[in-house]
Amino acid sequence: MGAVHACVALPHVQVHVVPTDTPMYLGLGGPFTMAEMSDGAQLAHVDGQVRAQIIDDAAEIATLGRRWTRIVGEALPRALSLDLIRKAALTWT
């Protein structure tokens, strides 16, 4: 849990856990990571079963931003997400 806690404690990292009992939502379409670079450029990494891709197209970044907003709307607040992660880590062997 130490490494996870150190990472999620960083001010620029957001972790939100969507509860397992949440019905169909946009996050089920697959994982993605969004980043804003120091020069203001925005990038995304979209992972898939066949290939992963880096996206820098503004329209696609905007679409992922809207999806992120909707996913966070389904997720637990940050503090509850971190608490759930801590509790889960206690069960890991």
Side-chain angles (χ1 to χ4, degrees), residues 1-48:
M1 180 62 192
V4 172
H5 186 266
C7 183
V8 300
L10 295 171
H12 58 281
V13 174
Q14 294 183 40
V15 174
H16 298 277
V17 176
V18 176
T20 57
D21 61 350
T22 301
M24 196 70 118
Y25 70 103
L26 285 173
L28 296 174
F32 63 91
T33 303
M34 296 180 64
E36 184 172 335
M37 310 310 284
S38 59
D39 65 358
Q42 294 183 316
L43 299 171
H45 177 268
V46 178
D47 213 354

mmCIF file of all heavy atoms in Angstrom, residues 1-48:
data_model
loop_
_atom_site.group_PDB
_atom_site.id
_atom_site.type_symbol
_atom_site.label_atom_id
_atom_site.label_comp_id
_atom_site.label_asym_id
_atom_site.label_seq_id
_atom_site.Cartn_x
_atom_site.Cartn_y
_atom_site.Cartn_z
ATOM 1 N N MET A 1 0.821 -1.197 0.000
ATOM 2 C CA MET A 1 0.000 0.000 0.000
ATOM 3 C C MET A 1 0.861 1.255 0.000
ATOM 4 O O MET A 1 0.420 2.291 -0.444
ATOM 5 C CB MET A 1 -0.942 -0.061 1.210
ATOM 6 C CG MET A 1 -1.872 1.112 1.354
ATOM 7 S SD MET A 1 -2.988 1.242 -0.047
ATOM 8 C CE MET A 1 -3.644 2.830 0.221
ATOM 9 N N GLY A 2 2.090 1.157 0.463
ATOM 10 C CA GLY A 2 2.950 2.322 0.550
ATOM 11 C C GLY A 2 3.120 3.047 -0.766
ATOM 12 O O GLY A 2 2.997 4.262 -0.837
ATOM 13 N N ALA A 3 3.414 2.303 -1.832
ATOM 14 C CA ALA A 3 3.620 2.924 -3.147
ATOM 15 C C ALA A 3 2.327 3.524 -3.677
ATOM 16 O O ALA A 3 2.333 4.612 -4.247
ATOM 17 C CB ALA A 3 4.165 1.902 -4.134
ATOM 18 N N VAL A 4 1.213 2.810 -3.491
ATOM 19 C CA VAL A 4 -0.077 3.330 -3.942
ATOM 20 C C VAL A 4 -0.406 4.602 -3.188
ATOM 21 O O VAL A 4 -0.801 5.608 -3.775
ATOM 22 C CB VAL A 4 -1.200 2.281 -3.752
ATOM 23 C CG1 VAL A 4 -2.553 2.893 -4.034
ATOM 24 C CG2 VAL A 4 -0.954 1.077 -4.633
ATOM 25 N N HIS A 5 -0.233 4.578 -1.884
ATOM 26 C CA HIS A 5 -0.538 5.757 -1.070
ATOM 27 C C HIS A 5 0.343 6.932 -1.449
ATOM 28 O O HIS A 5 -0.127 8.067 -1.555
ATOM 29 C CB HIS A 5 -0.383 5.439 0.418
ATOM 30 C CG HIS A 5 -0.829 6.561 1.294
ATOM 31 N ND1 HIS A 5 0.046 7.511 1.762
ATOM 32 C CD2 HIS A 5 -2.042 6.901 1.760
ATOM 33 C CE1 HIS A 5 -0.622 8.395 2.496
ATOM 34 N NE2 HIS A 5 -1.892 8.047 2.500
ATOM 35 N N ALA A 6 1.614 6.675 -1.702
ATOM 36 C CA ALA A 6 2.529 7.753 -2.099
ATOM 37 C C ALA A 6 2.097 8.363 -3.423
ATOM 38 O O ALA A 6 2.135 9.577 -3.599
ATOM 39 C CB ALA A 6 3.953 7.219 -2.194
ATOM 40 N N CYS A 7 1.654 7.532 -4.352
ATOM 41 C CA CYS A 7 1.232 8.024 -5.663
ATOM 42 C C CYS A 7 -0.058 8.840 -5.566
ATOM 43 O O CYS A 7 -0.142 9.940 -6.095
ATOM 44 C CB CYS A 7 1.042 6.857 -6.618
ATOM 45 S SG CYS A 7 0.600 7.354 -8.290
ATOM 46 N N VAL A 8 -1.060 8.305 -4.886
ATOM 47 C CA VAL A 8 -2.342 9.004 -4.837
ATOM 48 C C VAL A 8 -2.296 10.234 -3.950
ATOM 49 O O VAL A 8 -3.185 11.081 -4.032
ATOM 50 C CB VAL A 8 -3.502 8.069 -4.417
ATOM 51 C CG1 VAL A 8 -3.653 6.935 -5.399
ATOM 52 C CG2 VAL A 8 -3.329 7.558 -3.006
ATOM 53 N N ALA A 9 -1.263 10.351 -3.123
ATOM 54 C CA ALA A 9 -1.123 11.541 -2.284
ATOM 55 C C ALA A 9 -0.565 12.733 -3.055
ATOM 56 O O ALA A 9 -0.624 13.858 -2.581
ATOM 57 C CB ALA A 9 -0.224 11.226 -1.085
ATOM 58 N N LEU A 10 -0.048 12.488 -4.260
ATOM 59 C CA LEU A 10 0.494 13.585 -5.065
ATOM 60 C C LEU A 10 -0.638 14.531 -5.465
ATOM 61 O O LEU A 10 -1.732 14.077 -5.824
ATOM 62 C CB LEU A 10 1.184 13.030 -6.311
ATOM 63 C CG LEU A 10 2.425 12.177 -6.056
ATOM 64 C CD1 LEU A 10 2.876 11.502 -7.351
ATOM 65 C CD2 LEU A 10 3.541 13.020 -5.470
ATOM 66 N N PRO A 11 -0.404 15.834 -5.426
ATOM 67 C CA PRO A 11 -1.483 16.790 -5.692
ATOM 68 C C PRO A 11 -2.034 16.738 -7.116
ATOM 69 O O PRO A 11 -3.170 17.126 -7.351
ATOM 70 C CB PRO A 11 -0.839 18.153 -5.405
ATOM 71 C CG PRO A 11 0.630 17.920 -5.511
ATOM 72 C CD PRO A 11 0.870 16.483 -5.117
ATOM 73 N N HIS A 12 -1.267 16.241 -8.063
ATOM 74 C CA HIS A 12 -1.715 16.212 -9.459
ATOM 75 C C HIS A 12 -2.314 14.860 -9.859
ATOM 76 O O HIS A 12 -2.632 14.660 -11.019
ATOM 77 C CB HIS A 12 -0.563 16.580 -10.392
ATOM 78 C CG HIS A 12 0.628 15.678 -10.256
ATOM 79 N ND1 HIS A 12 1.527 15.808 -9.232
ATOM 80 C CD2 HIS A 12 1.036 14.617 -10.980
ATOM 81 C CE1 HIS A 12 2.447 14.877 -9.346
ATOM 82 N NE2 HIS A 12 2.168 14.135 -10.406
ATOM 83 N N VAL A 13 -2.475 13.947 -8.910
ATOM 84 C CA VAL A 13 -3.025 12.620 -9.196
ATOM 85 C C VAL A 13 -4.441 12.535 -8.627
ATOM 86 O O VAL A 13 -4.683 12.916 -7.492
ATOM 87 C CB VAL A 13 -2.149 11.504 -8.575
ATOM 88 C CG1 VAL A 13 -2.803 10.134 -8.735
ATOM 89 C CG2 VAL A 13 -0.762 11.520 -9.195
ATOM 90 N N GLN A 14 -5.357 12.063 -9.448
ATOM 91 C CA GLN A 14 -6.736 11.864 -9.005
ATOM 92 C C GLN A 14 -7.073 10.389 -9.127
ATOM 93 O O GLN A 14 -6.870 9.794 -10.181
ATOM 94 C CB GLN A 14 -7.715 12.644 -9.873
ATOM 95 C CG GLN A 14 -7.584 14.138 -9.778
ATOM 96 C CD GLN A 14 -8.647 14.806 -10.618
ATOM 97 O OE1 GLN A 14 -9.789 14.378 -10.657
ATOM 98 N NE2 GLN A 14 -8.263 15.848 -11.324
ATOM 99 N N VAL A 15 -7.565 9.810 -8.048
ATOM 100 C CA VAL A 15 -8.007 8.421 -8.068
ATOM 101 C C VAL A 15 -9.441 8.400 -7.576
ATOM 102 O O VAL A 15 -9.746 8.916 -6.502
ATOM 103 C CB VAL A 15 -7.126 7.522 -7.179
ATOM 104 C CG1 VAL A 15 -7.682 6.113 -7.103
ATOM 105 C CG2 VAL A 15 -5.696 7.504 -7.695
ATOM 106 N N HIS A 16 -10.313 7.840 -8.390
ATOM 107 C CA HIS A 16 -11.725 7.717 -8.027
ATOM 108 C C HIS A 16 -12.155 6.291 -8.335
ATOM 109 O O HIS A 16 -12.002 5.829 -9.460
ATOM 110 C CB HIS A 16 -12.594 8.697 -8.813
ATOM 111 C CG HIS A 16 -12.269 10.126 -8.555
ATOM 112 N ND1 HIS A 16 -12.765 10.817 -7.476
ATOM 113 C CD2 HIS A 16 -11.482 10.996 -9.223
ATOM 114 C CE1 HIS A 16 -12.307 12.052 -7.505
ATOM 115 N NE2 HIS A 16 -11.524 12.188 -8.558
ATOM 116 N N VAL A 17 -12.687 5.614 -7.328
ATOM 117 C CA VAL A 17 -13.118 4.232 -7.499
ATOM 118 C C VAL A 17 -14.615 4.213 -7.782
ATOM 119 O O VAL A 17 -15.403 4.808 -7.055
ATOM 120 C CB VAL A 17 -12.809 3.399 -6.235
ATOM 121 C CG1 VAL A 17 -13.350 1.988 -6.370
ATOM 122 C CG2 VAL A 17 -11.306 3.385 -5.976
ATOM 123 N N VAL A 18 -14.978 3.513 -8.845
ATOM 124 C CA VAL A 18 -16.386 3.330 -9.160
ATOM 125 C C VAL A 18 -16.817 2.036 -8.461
ATOM 126 O O VAL A 18 -16.199 0.990 -8.664
ATOM 127 C CB VAL A 18 -16.613 3.229 -10.683
ATOM 128 C CG1 VAL A 18 -18.080 2.950 -10.989
ATOM 129 C CG2 VAL A 18 -16.157 4.505 -11.370
ATOM 130 N N PRO A 19 -17.845 2.084 -7.627
ATOM 131 C CA PRO A 19 -18.286 0.889 -6.905
ATOM 132 C C PRO A 19 -18.674 -0.237 -7.865
ATOM 133 O O PRO A 19 -19.160 0.002 -8.975
ATOM 134 C CB PRO A 19 -19.508 1.364 -6.117
ATOM 135 C CG PRO A 19 -19.355 2.846 -6.022
ATOM 136 C CD PRO A 19 -18.634 3.266 -7.276
ATOM 137 N N THR A 20 -18.466 -1.467 -7.425
ATOM 138 C CA THR A 20 -18.749 -2.628 -8.270
ATOM 139 C C THR A 20 -20.231 -2.799 -8.574
ATOM 140 O O THR A 20 -20.584 -3.440 -9.557
ATOM 141 C CB THR A 20 -18.226 -3.928 -7.631
ATOM 142 O OG1 THR A 20 -18.805 -4.070 -6.332
ATOM 143 C CG2 THR A 20 -16.716 -3.907 -7.524
ATOM 144 N N ASP A 21 -21.089 -2.213 -7.760
ATOM 145 C CA ASP A 21 -22.522 -2.361 -8.007
ATOM 146 C C ASP A 21 -23.080 -1.278 -8.938
ATOM 147 O O ASP A 21 -24.286 -1.210 -9.166
ATOM 148 C CB ASP A 21 -23.305 -2.387 -6.694
ATOM 149 C CG ASP A 21 -23.159 -1.109 -5.880
ATOM 150 O OD1 ASP A 21 -22.305 -0.259 -6.215
ATOM 151 O OD2 ASP A 21 -23.899 -0.964 -4.892
ATOM 152 N N THR A 22 -22.198 -0.458 -9.530
ATOM 153 C CA THR A 22 -22.630 0.570 -10.477
ATOM 154 C C THR A 22 -23.042 -0.101 -11.784
ATOM 155 O O THR A 22 -22.299 -0.927 -12.318
ATOM 156 C CB THR A 22 -21.488 1.565 -10.742
ATOM 157 O OG1 THR A 22 -21.113 2.157 -9.507
ATOM 158 C CG2 THR A 22 -21.911 2.650 -11.719
ATOM 159 N N PRO A 23 -24.220 0.224 -12.312
ATOM 160 C CA PRO A 23 -24.622 -0.375 -13.592
ATOM 161 C C PRO A 23 -23.748 0.153 -14.735
ATOM 162 O O PRO A 23 -22.819 0.925 -14.517
ATOM 163 C CB PRO A 23 -26.080 0.057 -13.750
ATOM 164 C CG PRO A 23 -26.228 1.251 -12.882
ATOM 165 C CD PRO A 23 -25.220 1.128 -11.776
ATOM 166 N N MET A 24 -24.048 -0.218 -15.936
ATOM 167 C CA MET A 24 -23.288 0.168 -17.124
ATOM 168 C C MET A 24 -22.947 1.671 -17.083
ATOM 169 O O MET A 24 -23.810 2.502 -16.831
ATOM 170 C CB MET A 24 -24.133 -0.129 -18.357
ATOM 171 C CG MET A 24 -23.377 -0.145 -19.635
ATOM 172 S SD MET A 24 -22.316 -1.557 -19.683
ATOM 173 C CE MET A 24 -22.988 -2.392 -21.074
ATOM 174 N N TYR A 25 -21.667 1.979 -17.336
ATOM 175 C CA TYR A 25 -21.221 3.377 -17.381
ATOM 176 C C TYR A 25 -20.048 3.474 -18.348
ATOM 177 O O TYR A 25 -19.491 2.465 -18.787
ATOM 178 C CB TYR A 25 -20.856 3.896 -15.985
ATOM 179 C CG TYR A 25 -19.592 3.297 -15.415
ATOM 180 C CD1 TYR A 25 -18.410 4.019 -15.410
ATOM 181 C CD2 TYR A 25 -19.567 2.006 -14.897
ATOM 182 C CE1 TYR A 25 -17.245 3.477 -14.909
ATOM 183 C CE2 TYR A 25 -18.419 1.459 -14.390
ATOM 184 C CZ TYR A 25 -17.259 2.199 -14.397
ATOM 185 O OH TYR A 25 -16.097 1.660 -13.908
ATOM 186 N N LEU A 26 -19.658 4.679 -18.737
ATOM 187 C CA LEU A 26 -18.658 4.897 -19.783
ATOM 188 C C LEU A 26 -17.289 4.301 -19.486
ATOM 189 O O LEU A 26 -16.542 3.974 -20.396
ATOM 190 C CB LEU A 26 -18.508 6.392 -20.066
ATOM 191 C CG LEU A 26 -19.645 7.020 -20.860
ATOM 192 C CD1 LEU A 26 -19.473 8.536 -20.924
ATOM 193 C CD2 LEU A 26 -19.697 6.434 -22.252
ATOM 194 N N GLY A 27 -16.956 4.140 -18.231
ATOM 195 C CA GLY A 27 -15.651 3.599 -17.884
ATOM 196 C C GLY A 27 -15.468 2.155 -18.301
ATOM 197 O O GLY A 27 -14.340 1.667 -18.399
ATOM 198 N N LEU A 28 -16.564 1.471 -18.575
ATOM 199 C CA LEU A 28 -16.470 0.078 -18.990
ATOM 200 C C LEU A 28 -15.956 -0.050 -20.420
ATOM 201 O O LEU A 28 -15.657 -1.142 -20.875
ATOM 202 C CB LEU A 28 -17.837 -0.607 -18.851
ATOM 203 C CG LEU A 28 -18.351 -0.705 -17.414
ATOM 204 C CD1 LEU A 28 -19.769 -1.264 -17.394
ATOM 205 C CD2 LEU A 28 -17.425 -1.542 -16.560
ATOM 206 N N GLY A 29 -15.844 1.067 -21.117
ATOM 207 C CA GLY A 29 -15.333 1.059 -22.489
ATOM 208 C C GLY A 29 -13.832 0.830 -22.560
ATOM 209 O O GLY A 29 -13.287 0.661 -23.638
ATOM 210 N N GLY A 30 -13.153 0.844 -21.439
ATOM 211 C CA GLY A 30 -11.720 0.586 -21.407
ATOM 212 C C GLY A 30 -10.953 1.687 -20.708
ATOM 213 O O GLY A 30 -11.439 2.810 -20.557
ATOM 214 N N PRO A 31 -9.749 1.352 -20.292
ATOM 215 C CA PRO A 31 -8.949 2.313 -19.522
ATOM 216 C C PRO A 31 -8.322 3.403 -20.403
ATOM 217 O O PRO A 31 -8.007 3.179 -21.565
ATOM 218 C CB PRO A 31 -7.857 1.437 -18.908
ATOM 219 C CG PRO A 31 -7.722 0.289 -19.852
ATOM 220 C CD PRO A 31 -9.088 0.056 -20.410
ATOM 221 N N PHE A 32 -8.171 4.567 -19.795
ATOM 222 C CA PHE A 32 -7.433 5.646 -20.447
ATOM 223 C C PHE A 32 -6.829 6.530 -19.374
ATOM 224 O O PHE A 32 -7.305 6.577 -18.247
ATOM 225 C CB PHE A 32 -8.312 6.457 -21.408
ATOM 226 C CG PHE A 32 -9.455 7.195 -20.787
ATOM 227 C CD1 PHE A 32 -9.311 8.507 -20.358
ATOM 228 C CD2 PHE A 32 -10.693 6.587 -20.634
ATOM 229 C CE1 PHE A 32 -10.375 9.191 -19.787
ATOM 230 C CE2 PHE A 32 -11.763 7.254 -20.073
ATOM 231 C CZ PHE A 32 -11.599 8.568 -19.649
ATOM 232 N N THR A 33 -5.753 7.183 -19.744
ATOM 233 C CA THR A 33 -5.054 8.102 -18.853
ATOM 234 C C THR A 33 -4.934 9.423 -19.578
ATOM 235 O O THR A 33 -4.589 9.456 -20.760
ATOM 236 C CB THR A 33 -3.646 7.571 -18.527
ATOM 237 O OG1 THR A 33 -3.753 6.273 -17.963
ATOM 238 C CG2 THR A 33 -2.923 8.495 -17.568
ATOM 239 N N MET A 34 -5.235 10.493 -18.864
ATOM 240 C CA MET A 34 -5.102 11.825 -19.450
ATOM 241 C C MET A 34 -4.003 12.567 -18.712
ATOM 242 O O MET A 34 -3.843 12.413 -17.500
ATOM 243 C CB MET A 34 -6.422 12.581 -19.356
ATOM 244 C CG MET A 34 -7.520 11.926 -20.165
ATOM 245 S SD MET A 34 -9.097 12.777 -20.071
ATOM 246 C CE MET A 34 -8.674 14.329 -20.827
ATOM 247 N N ALA A 35 -3.248 13.372 -19.452
ATOM 248 C CA ALA A 35 -2.157 14.132 -18.849
ATOM 249 C C ALA A 35 -2.067 15.505 -19.478
ATOM 250 O O ALA A 35 -2.321 15.676 -20.671
ATOM 251 C CB ALA A 35 -0.834 13.402 -19.039
ATOM 252 N N GLU A 36 -1.726 16.469 -18.642
ATOM 253 C CA GLU A 36 -1.417 17.804 -19.147
ATOM 254 C C GLU A 36 0.059 18.042 -18.902
ATOM 255 O O GLU A 36 0.539 17.941 -17.773
ATOM 256 C CB GLU A 36 -2.252 18.872 -18.438
ATOM 257 C CG GLU A 36 -2.023 20.250 -19.016
ATOM 258 C CD GLU A 36 -2.981 21.299 -18.477
ATOM 259 O OE1 GLU A 36 -4.079 20.937 -18.048
ATOM 260 O OE2 GLU A 36 -2.602 22.482 -18.492
ATOM 261 N N MET A 37 0.776 18.337 -19.966
ATOM 262 C CA MET A 37 2.216 18.517 -19.894
ATOM 263 C C MET A 37 2.546 19.912 -19.368
ATOM 264 O O MET A 37 1.683 20.786 -19.305
ATOM 265 C CB MET A 37 2.835 18.308 -21.280
ATOM 266 C CG MET A 37 2.383 17.020 -21.965
ATOM 267 S SD MET A 37 2.524 15.540 -20.937
ATOM 268 C CE MET A 37 4.265 15.286 -21.037
ATOM 269 N N SER A 38 3.797 20.106 -18.994
ATOM 270 C CA SER A 38 4.210 21.388 -18.415
ATOM 271 C C SER A 38 4.023 22.548 -19.388
ATOM 272 O O SER A 38 3.839 23.685 -18.975
ATOM 273 C CB SER A 38 5.663 21.320 -17.945
ATOM 274 O OG SER A 38 6.514 20.989 -19.026
ATOM 275 N N ASP A 39 4.025 22.270 -20.694
ATOM 276 C CA ASP A 39 3.817 23.327 -21.679
ATOM 277 C C ASP A 39 2.336 23.560 -21.996
ATOM 278 O O ASP A 39 1.990 24.338 -22.871
ATOM 279 C CB ASP A 39 4.585 23.030 -22.970
ATOM 280 C CG ASP A 39 4.080 21.779 -23.691
ATOM 281 O OD1 ASP A 39 3.151 21.107 -23.188
ATOM 282 O OD2 ASP A 39 4.635 21.476 -24.762
ATOM 283 N N GLY A 40 1.449 22.838 -21.293
ATOM 284 C CA GLY A 40 0.014 22.999 -21.492
ATOM 285 C C GLY A 40 -0.587 22.012 -22.483
ATOM 286 O O GLY A 40 -1.806 21.913 -22.598
ATOM 287 N N ALA A 41 0.249 21.283 -23.211
ATOM 288 C CA ALA A 41 -0.259 20.283 -24.152
ATOM 289 C C ALA A 41 -0.978 19.173 -23.394
ATOM 290 O O ALA A 41 -0.576 18.809 -22.291
ATOM 291 C CB ALA A 41 0.891 19.689 -24.967
ATOM 292 N N GLN A 42 -2.045 18.673 -23.989
ATOM 293 C CA GLN A 42 -2.787 17.582 -23.385
ATOM 294 C C GLN A 42 -2.618 16.330 -24.230
ATOM 295 O O GLN A 42 -2.664 16.383 -25.461
ATOM 296 C CB GLN A 42 -4.267 17.933 -23.262
ATOM 297 C CG GLN A 42 -4.512 19.069 -22.280
ATOM 298 C CD GLN A 42 -5.984 19.357 -22.126
ATOM 299 O OE1 GLN A 42 -6.706 19.406 -23.110
ATOM 300 N NE2 GLN A 42 -6.417 19.559 -20.906
ATOM 301 N N LEU A 43 -2.423 15.212 -23.530
ATOM 302 C CA LEU A 43 -2.255 13.919 -24.175
ATOM 303 C C LEU A 43 -3.108 12.900 -23.457
ATOM 304 O O LEU A 43 -3.468 13.090 -22.293
ATOM 305 C CB LEU A 43 -0.795 13.458 -24.110
ATOM 306 C CG LEU A 43 0.255 14.322 -24.786
ATOM 307 C CD1 LEU A 43 1.646 13.820 -24.427
ATOM 308 C CD2 LEU A 43 0.057 14.322 -26.285
ATOM 309 N N ALA A 44 -3.397 11.827 -24.143
ATOM 310 C CA ALA A 44 -4.102 10.726 -23.505
ATOM 311 C C ALA A 44 -3.463 9.422 -23.960
ATOM 312 O O ALA A 44 -2.932 9.319 -25.072
ATOM 313 C CB ALA A 44 -5.580 10.744 -23.869
ATOM 314 N N HIS A 45 -3.507 8.452 -23.085
ATOM 315 C CA HIS A 45 -3.067 7.097 -23.414
ATOM 316 C C HIS A 45 -4.307 6.224 -23.293
ATOM 317 O O HIS A 45 -4.943 6.171 -22.239
ATOM 318 C CB HIS A 45 -1.986 6.634 -22.435
ATOM 319 C CG HIS A 45 -1.544 5.233 -22.679
ATOM 320 N ND1 HIS A 45 -2.118 4.155 -22.048
ATOM 321 C CD2 HIS A 45 -0.596 4.737 -23.500
ATOM 322 C CE1 HIS A 45 -1.538 3.043 -22.469
ATOM 323 N NE2 HIS A 45 -0.607 3.371 -23.343
ATOM 324 N N VAL A 46 -4.677 5.583 -24.394
ATOM 325 C CA VAL A 46 -5.853 4.722 -24.419
ATOM 326 C C VAL A 46 -5.357 3.299 -24.605
ATOM 327 O O VAL A 46 -4.610 3.006 -25.536
ATOM 328 C CB VAL A 46 -6.821 5.122 -25.558
ATOM 329 C CG1 VAL A 46 -8.010 4.184 -25.614
ATOM 330 C CG2 VAL A 46 -7.280 6.564 -25.366
ATOM 331 N N ASP A 47 -5.755 2.428 -23.698
ATOM 332 C CA ASP A 47 -5.297 1.048 -23.733
ATOM 333 C C ASP A 47 -6.367 0.154 -24.320
ATOM 334 O O ASP A 47 -7.554 0.358 -24.086
ATOM 335 C CB ASP A 47 -4.980 0.585 -22.307
ATOM 336 C CG ASP A 47 -3.845 -0.403 -22.253
ATOM 337 O OD1 ASP A 47 -3.362 -0.823 -23.320
ATOM 338 O OD2 ASP A 47 -3.433 -0.757 -21.143
ATOM 339 N N GLY A 48 -5.959 -0.810 -25.081
ATOM 340 C CA GLY A 48 -6.892 -1.755 -25.678
ATOM 341 C C GLY A 48 -6.296 -3.143 -25.703
ATOM 342 O O GLY A 48 -5.098 -3.323 -25.478
#
